C-alpha cells in the first residue's frame, strides 16, 4: 500500500520533469531505480537525498557510523543505509547485516575546505535481484550534482593533516577489488560487531549476539592494543586479505575472526610482495614493529609498496601507530 | 560533448542484447579514462583495440568482463606507459575468464605488470612487459603474473627487468609458457605452487636464475608438481641478484639455470644450458624453517633427462667455492642436488650422460656450511612419464 503511493508520487514527478517543469526532488527514494538494471548517470536519480546537494537524506535513508572506520586519506564520510519499506533487514550474528533486495548503502567522501564540507564523491551499493552493484559518483565543482564516473577520477584535496594530495576516486572495477568476495560484489562495512548496540536496536529492533565488540576508534589509546589493532586491520585490510578475496593468494588473513597467528602475519614470510617486502623477512616480527613488513607497507605511500593498494594517497599515521604499538607489545620469540 | 554522447551510447549498449563489437581506443588526452571506460563497458565477445602509439597512464587499469579480447597493434607499437603511475598494485588487472591479451606492451609499471587473478582460460600472446631502466630493486615484482587460475597460455611474450620473476605463474593449473623471452629479471620464468605446467621453447637469458619450479609452504594452494621443462635455451644467467631481501627469489644464486625446489614430479630435458656458472640444473629441498603440517619440503620424482649442457658451475656463488672448484677439477658438474630427500619417495633420477654432484646436507634447513660435498648418488632416468592433461588445453591455441 505504502509502496503504491510512492510509485504514484514518483510517476507524477517523472511526468512533471518530462513536461519541462523543474520540480524539487521528492523526499522518497526511487525504489524502481535501485531495482532496475539501469545505471543512472546522476546520483539524484535515486532520490536518496531531498536536496540536489546531497546534504539532507530522504525518508528511510538512515545515517550510521562504524566503531572503527576505514581510513580514506582522512576523508570525512557520511554513511547511509536504505531498506525499502516492503522488506526488512536482519542480523547475521556479529557479521554483515542482511540487507534485502532493494536496499542501498550510500557513502559520501568529503574534505573540509574552510568552513565548508566539500563533497568529492558518493559511492552507492545497490542490492539488485541478481546481486550487489557498486557505482561511483563524482561531485561537480559547484557541488550541485554528482555524476557517474565509471572510470573513476582524481581530485586535488587537502587532507585534515594539511597535506595536498591527488585523491583517487576508484573506477567501477576497483570497487570490486575491495567489495569482491568469491567473484560477487558484497558490502563490507556494516557488520554488527563494528556498530553500536543502540543503533542496531533502533534499526533492527534487536541487538545481535557479538554486536558492538570492536573498539571505538577514538578510544584506541585506552583500548586493549590488540583489539584496537586487530579492529583496524579487519576494517582496513580484511576485505582483501582473506580467502575468496583480492589478496587471497598472499595467504594473509587479517579478519577479526581469524585466530591463526601465522595467517595474520606472525613470522609469516611474504609471497608475492616484491619490493613491498622492504628487505624484511616477516609480515609481523613479535616485539619488533620496524622489522615487520605489515608496518613498512602501511607506512609507505609509494605505489607498488603501499598498502592498501587502493584508496590511499597518504599514510594514516594513527593507524600505523596502533599497529606498531600492538606488535611492540608482543613478547619477542 | 562527444564524451557525454560516448558514455550515453555505451550505457545503452549495456542494456541491449550482447553481440560482438570492436571498440577502438586511441592514445592521447584522457587515455586513462577512455580506456578504462571501454574495459568496464565491454560486453562478452567484444574486442577492444589499442591503436598504435603511447598511452600515458596514471592509474592501474582493470578488466572484469568475461570473453573480452584486448588487442594492440604490436608489442612495440601499442604501449601502455605506466612511468607516471600513482596508484594500484599493477598496470593491468584481469579478474574475468576467457580473456585474450595480445600485441601490446605494458612499460614501467610501479608494481606488477599484468596480473590476472582467478581469471581462467586466459591467453597472453605477444605481450611485452619491460622495465626500461634495466635490473633494479625498485622495479615491480612480476611482469606477467597469472595467479589462482586454471588454463593459462602464455605465448610469444617478452619480459625484462622484473625484481622478482619476469613470468610468474602461481597457485594455478593447466599452464603453458612457450616461445617467450625472459631477460634481465631476477627469475626469468617461475612456476610456483602450481600443477600441470609445460615450459617450452623459451629463451631465458641474463637473469639471476633462469627457470624456477618452486613449491612453498603456508599458501592457500600448495603441493605443486607435474611440471615439464623442455626445449628451452637457458643461457648467460649471470645478473647479480637484485631482488629485495625477504622474497624467496632473493636467495637464488647468480648463475642458476633451471632450479627445482620441493615439488612432486618434474621433468627437465632437451634444454640447452650455457653459462649458468653456479649450477645449470639445481634440485633442492625448501631451505627454510616452516610451520605447515601439510607441506612436503622435499623434491619428489624429479627426472633430469638428456640436456645439452656446458662444463657446469665454473663460478659458483657459494661459500667455500674455491675449495669446491679445486675438489671437482675447476668446475662443478652440471647437475646439483642438495642431497635431501623424503625417505619414502624417489627423489631424483638423472640421465647417465649428465654429470652431477651432491651437497649432501645433513637435514632440511641446514646451511651450506654443513655441506659434505660428494658425487651424485641418484638413480638413472626411468620410465617415460605421461604428460596427458598437462599444459593449457589445445583448443586455446585457436585464440593465438
Amino acid at each position: 500500500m505504502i509502496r503504491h503511493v510512492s510509485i504514484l508520487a514518483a510517476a507524477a514527478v517523472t511526468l512533471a520533469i518530462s513536461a519541462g517543469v523543474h520540480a524539487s526532488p521528492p523526499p522518497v527514494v526511487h525504489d524502481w531505480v535501485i531495482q532496475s538494471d539501469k545505471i543512472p548517470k546522476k546520483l539524484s536519480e535515486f532520490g536518496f537525498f531531498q536536496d540536489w546537494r546531497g546534504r539532507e537524506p530522504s525518508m528511510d535513508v538512515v545515517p550510521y557510523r562504524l566503531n572503527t572506520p576505514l581510513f580514506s586519506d582522512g576523508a570525512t564520510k557520511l554513511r547511509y543505509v536504505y531498506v525499502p519499506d516492503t522488506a526488512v533487514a536482519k542480523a547475521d550474528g556479529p557479521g554483515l547485516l542482511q540487507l534485502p533486495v532493494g536496499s542501498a548503502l550510500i557513502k559520501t567522501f568529503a574534505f573540509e575546505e574552510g568552513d565548508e564540507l566539500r563533497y568529492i564523491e558518493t559511492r552507492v551499493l545497490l542490492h539488485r535481484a541478481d546481486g550487489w552493484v557498486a557505482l561511483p559518483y563524482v561531485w561537480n565543482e559547484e557541488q550541485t550534482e554528482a555524476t557517474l564516473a565509471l572510470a573513476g577520477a582524481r581530485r586535488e584535496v587537502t587532507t585534515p593533516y594539511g597535506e595536498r594530495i591527488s585523491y583517487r576516486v576508484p573506477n567501477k572495477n576497483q570497487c570490486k577489488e575491495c567489495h569482491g568476495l568469491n567473484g560477487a560484489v558484497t558490502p563490507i562495512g556494516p557488520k554488527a560487531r563494528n556498530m553500536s548496540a543502540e543503533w542496531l536496536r533502533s534499526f533492527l529492533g534487536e541487538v545481535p549476539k557479538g554486536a558492538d565488540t570492536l573498539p571505538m576508534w577514538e578510544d584506541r589509546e585506552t583500548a586493549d592494543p590488540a583489539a584496537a589493532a586487530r579492529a583496524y586491520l579487519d576494517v582496513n585490510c580484511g576485505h582483501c586479505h582473506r580467502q575468496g578475496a583480492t589478496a587471497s593468494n598472499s595467504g594473509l588473513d587479517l579478519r577479526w575472526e581469524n585466530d591463526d597467528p601465522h595467517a595474520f602475519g606472525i613470522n609469516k614470510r611474504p609471497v608475492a610482495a616484491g619490493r613491498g617486502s622492504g628487505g624484511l623477512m616477516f609480515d609481523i616480527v613479535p616485539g619488533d614493529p620496524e622489522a615487520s613488513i605489515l608496518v613498512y607497507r602501511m607506512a609507505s605511500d609509494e605505489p607498488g609498496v603501499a598498502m592498501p593498494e587502493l584508496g590511499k594517497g597518504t599514510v594514516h599515521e594513527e593507524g600505523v601507530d596502533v599497529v606498531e604499538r600492538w606488535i611492540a607489545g608482543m613478547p619477542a620469540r | 560533448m562527444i564524451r557525454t554522447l560516448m558514455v550515453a551510447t555505451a550505457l545503452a549498449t549495456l542494456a541491449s542484447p550482447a553481440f560482438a563489437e570492436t571498440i577502438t581506443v586511441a592514445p592521447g588526452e584522457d587515455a586513462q579514462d577512455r580506456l578504462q571506460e571501454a574495459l568496464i563497458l565491454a560486453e562478452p565477445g567484444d574486442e577492444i583495440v589499442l591503436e598504435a602509439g603511447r598511452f600515458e597512464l596514471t592509474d592501474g587499469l582493470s578488466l572484469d568482463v568475461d570473453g573480452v579480447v584486448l588487442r594492440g597493434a604490436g608489442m612495440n607499437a601499442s604501449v601502455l606507459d605506466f612511468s607516471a603511475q600513482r596508484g594500484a598494485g599493477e598496470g593491468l588487472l584481469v579478474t574475468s575468464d576467457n580473456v585474450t591479451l595480445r600485441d601490446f606492451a605494458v612499460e614501467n609499471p610501479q608494481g606488477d605488470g599484468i596480473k590476472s587473478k582467478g581469471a581462467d582460460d586466459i591467453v597472453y600472446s605477444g605481450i611485452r612487459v619491460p622495465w626500461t631502466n634495466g635490473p633494479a630493486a625498485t622495479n615491480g615484482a612480476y611482469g606477467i603474473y597469472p595467479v589462482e587460475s586454471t588454463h593459462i597460455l602464455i605465448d610469444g611474450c617478452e619480459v625484462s627487468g622484473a625484481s622478482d620473476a619476469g613470468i610468474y605463474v602461481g597457485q594455478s593449473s593447466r599452464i603453458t609458457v612457450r616461445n617467450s623471452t625472459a631477460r634481465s629479471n631476477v627469475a626469468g620464468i617461475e612456476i610456483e605452487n602450481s600443477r600441470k605446467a609445460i615450459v617450452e621453447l623459451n629463451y631465458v637469458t641474463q637473469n639471476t636464475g633462469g627457470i624456477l619450479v618452486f613449491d612453498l609452504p603456508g599458501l592457500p594452494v600448495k603441493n605443486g608438481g607435474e611440471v615439464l621443462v623442455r626445449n628451452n635455451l637457458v643461457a648467460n644467467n649471470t645478473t647479480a641478484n637484485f631482488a629485495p631481501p625477504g622474497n624467496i627469489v632473493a636467495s637464488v644464486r647468480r648463475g642458476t639455470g633451471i632450479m627445482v625446489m620441493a615439488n612432486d614430479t618434474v621433468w627437465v630435458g632437451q634444454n640447452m644450458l650455457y653459462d649458468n656458472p653456479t649450477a645449470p640444473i639445481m634440485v633442492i629441498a625448501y631451505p627454510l624453517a616452516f610451520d605447515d603440517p601439510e607441506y612436503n619440503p622435499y623434491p619428489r620424482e624429479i627426472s633430469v633427462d638428456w640436456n645439452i649442457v656446458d662444463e657446469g658451475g665454473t663460478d659458483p656463488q657459494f661459500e667455500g667455492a674455491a675449495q669446491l672448484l679445486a675438489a671437482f677439477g675447476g668446475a662443478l658438474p652440471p647437475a646439483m642436488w642438495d642431497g635431501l630427500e623424503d625417505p619414502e619417495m624417489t627423489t631424483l633420477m638423472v640421465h647417465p650422460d649428465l654429470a652431477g654432484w651432491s651437497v649432501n646436507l645433513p637435514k632440511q634447513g641446514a646451511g651450506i656450511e654443513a655441506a659434505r660435498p660428494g658425487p651424485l648418488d641418484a638413480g638413472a632416468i626411468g620410465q617415460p612419464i605421461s604428460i596427458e592433461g598437462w599444459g593449457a588445453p589445445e583448443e586455446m591455441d585457436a585464440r593465438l
Side-chain angles (χ1 to χ4, degrees), chain B residues 2 16 23 57 59 71-73 95 137 165 251 265 309 335 341 348 370:
Chain B
I2 291 167
S16 67
I23 303 124
L57 301 166
D59 283 284
R71 175 199 294 271
T95 47
S251 63
T265 311
V309 191
E341 58 187 330
L348 182 61

Side-chain angles (χ1 to χ4, degrees), chain B residues 4-306:
Chain B
T4 316
L5 281 176
M6 213 186 68
V7 171
T9 317
L11 288 175
T13 316
L14 260 187
S16 67
F19 58 93
E21 264 192 74
T22 301
I23 303 124
T24 303
V25 184
E29 209 174 318
D30 292 334
Q32 177 83 41
D33 289 354
R34 288 184 289 111
L35 179 49
Q36 183 58 65
E37 233 161 56
L39 292 168
I40 288 171
L41 296 170
E43 293 270 304
D46 286 356
E47 180 162 290
I48 298 172
V49 175
L50 301 168
E51 283 189 357
R54 191 164 278 272
F55 295 72
E56 315 271 354
L57 301 166
T58 55
D59 283 284
L61 298 167
S62 54
L63 173 62
D64 190 37
V65 182
D66 291 346
V68 169
V69 177
L70 178 58
R71 175 199 294 271
M75 65 156 64
N76 294 302
S78 299
V79 177
L80 305 180
D81 182 350
F82 288 93
S83 302
Q85 184 180 1
R86 287 182 287 185
E90 58 282 306
L92 171 63
L93 176 68
V94 178
T95 47
S96 47
D97 298 337
N98 255 309
V99 166
T100 302
L101 306 172
R102 58 181 313 143
D103 305 324
F104 63 89
V106 165
E107 272 191 15
N108 298 325
Q110 304 300 305
D112 302 311
I114 305 179
K115 178 176 180 180
S116 50
K117 181 167 182 292
D120 297 341
D121 298 287
I122 189 164
V123 174
Y124 290 83
S125 170
I127 296 292
R128 191 172 61 92
V129 183
W131 279 270
T132 55
N133 57 331
T138 48
N139 293 349
Y142 304 130
I144 291 178
Y145 177 16
V147 63
E148 287 188 352
S149 305
T150 303
H151 301 173
I152 297 163
L153 175 58
I154 298 171
D155 194 320
C157 295
E158 283 185 25
V159 181
S160 63
S163 71
D164 197 302
I167 297 172
Y168 170 96
V169 182
Q171 303 179 52
S172 295
S173 66
R174 301 286 317 258
I175 302 141
T176 297
V177 180
R178 71 179 174 222
N179 298 329
S180 295
T181 302
R183 184 193 302 271
S184 302
N185 309 285
V186 174
I189 298 171
E190 182 175 352
I191 306 293
E192 188 172 279
N193 291 50
S194 291
R195 281 260 161 195
K196 300 186 189 299
I198 296 177
V199 180
E200 62 182 358
L201 299 164
N202 301 289
Y203 179 35
V204 183
T205 188
Q206 293 169 33
N207 306 284
T208 302
I211 299 174
L212 313 184
V213 183
F214 280 10
D215 191 44
L216 303 180
L219 297 190
V221 178
K222 48 195 139 203
N223 193 19
E226 298 171 297
V227 181
L228 175 66
V229 182
R230 69 176 174 196
N231 299 331
N232 298 284
L233 174 55
V234 182
N236 309 107
N237 290 294
T238 53
T239 297
N241 195 316
F242 59 98
N247 297 285
I248 189 76
V249 297
S251 63
V252 172
R253 312 290 166 120
R254 166 190 174 276
T256 302
I258 297 172
M259 177 175 176
V260 178
M261 185 170 74
N263 269 280
D264 162 31
T265 311
V266 179
W267 192 90
V268 178
Q270 296 163 214
N271 302 285
M272 298 171 77
L273 296 123
Y274 294 109
D275 192 21
N276 301 290
T278 285
I281 298 172
M282 182 190 287
V283 178
I284 65 167
Y286 179 71
L288 305 171
F290 63 93
D291 175 20
D292 179 349
E294 293 165 41
Y295 178 67
N296 188 333
Y298 301 106
R300 289 97 67 201
E301 302 283 347
I302 312 299
S303 303
V304 178
D305 206 339
W306 179 79

Side-chain angles (χ1 to χ4, degrees), chain B residues 370-383:
Chain B
R372 298 161 298 173
L376 184 65
D377 178 21
I381 197 93
Q383 296 298 312

Side-chain angles (χ1 to χ4, degrees), chain A residues 150 154 173 176 248 274-275 277, chain B residues 59 62 64 110 148 245 247:
Chain A
L150 288 178
R154 281 194 174 273
N173 288 351
K176 193 175 167 189
S248 58
R275 67 198 178 98
S277 74
Chain B
D59 283 284
S62 54
D64 190 37
Q110 304 300 305
E148 287 188 352
N247 297 285

Side-chain angles (χ1 to χ4, degrees), chain A residues 31-195:
Chain A
D31 287 318
W32 71 93
V33 179
I34 296 177
Q35 298 189 31
S36 75
D37 59 357
K38 297 280 187 289
I39 297 187
K41 203 156 173 293
K42 304 284 181 196
L43 177 67
S44 53
E45 290 174 50
F46 294 102
F48 290 135
F49 299 98
Q50 298 182 32
D51 58 327
W52 295 115
R53 291 165 50 78
R55 310 276 159 152
E56 295 299 323
S58 298
M59 205 161 63
D60 298 330
V61 175
V62 182
Y64 68 95
R65 68 152 290 178
L66 300 173
N67 292 2
T68 292
L70 178 104
F71 177 79
S72 305
D73 290 334
T76 297
K77 298 186 186 178
L78 303 131
R79 299 177 182 80
Y80 303 94
V81 55
Y82 170 76
V83 177
D85 57 15
T86 49
V88 286
K90 293 192 185 111
D92 181 17
L96 204 56
L97 302 185
Q98 304 270 295
L99 301 170
V101 169
S103 300
L105 291 160
I106 307 111
K107 184 153 88 164
T108 296
F109 294 66
F111 288 87
E112 282 181 30
E113 270 186 11
D115 299 335
E116 285 286 296
L117 196 56
R118 179 182 155 215
Y119 281 16
I120 304 297
E121 56 161 331
T122 296
R123 305 180 191 170
V124 303
L125 268 175
L126 311 170
H127 197 179
R128 291 180 161 171
D130 53 358
W132 288 88
V133 176
L135 296 172
Y137 291 85
V138 176
W139 287 89
N140 61 2
E141 279 304 313
E142 300 76 38
Q143 300 277 287
T144 51
E145 69 179 7
T147 307
L148 181 67
L150 288 178
R154 281 194 174 273
R155 291 287 182 273
E156 300 300 315
V157 302
T158 304
T159 71
Y161 311 95
E163 206 180 334
R164 193 81 185 151
I165 61 160
S166 171
Y167 173 91
R168 174 72 191 166
V169 177
N171 68 48
K172 183 170 178 286
N173 288 351
Q174 290 173 326
C175 295
K176 193 175 167 189
E177 283 185 48
C178 291
H179 284 274
L181 185 61
N182 300 316
V185 171
T186 178
I188 48 186
K191 294 178 180 133
R193 64 184 183 224
N194 198 23
M195 305 177 93

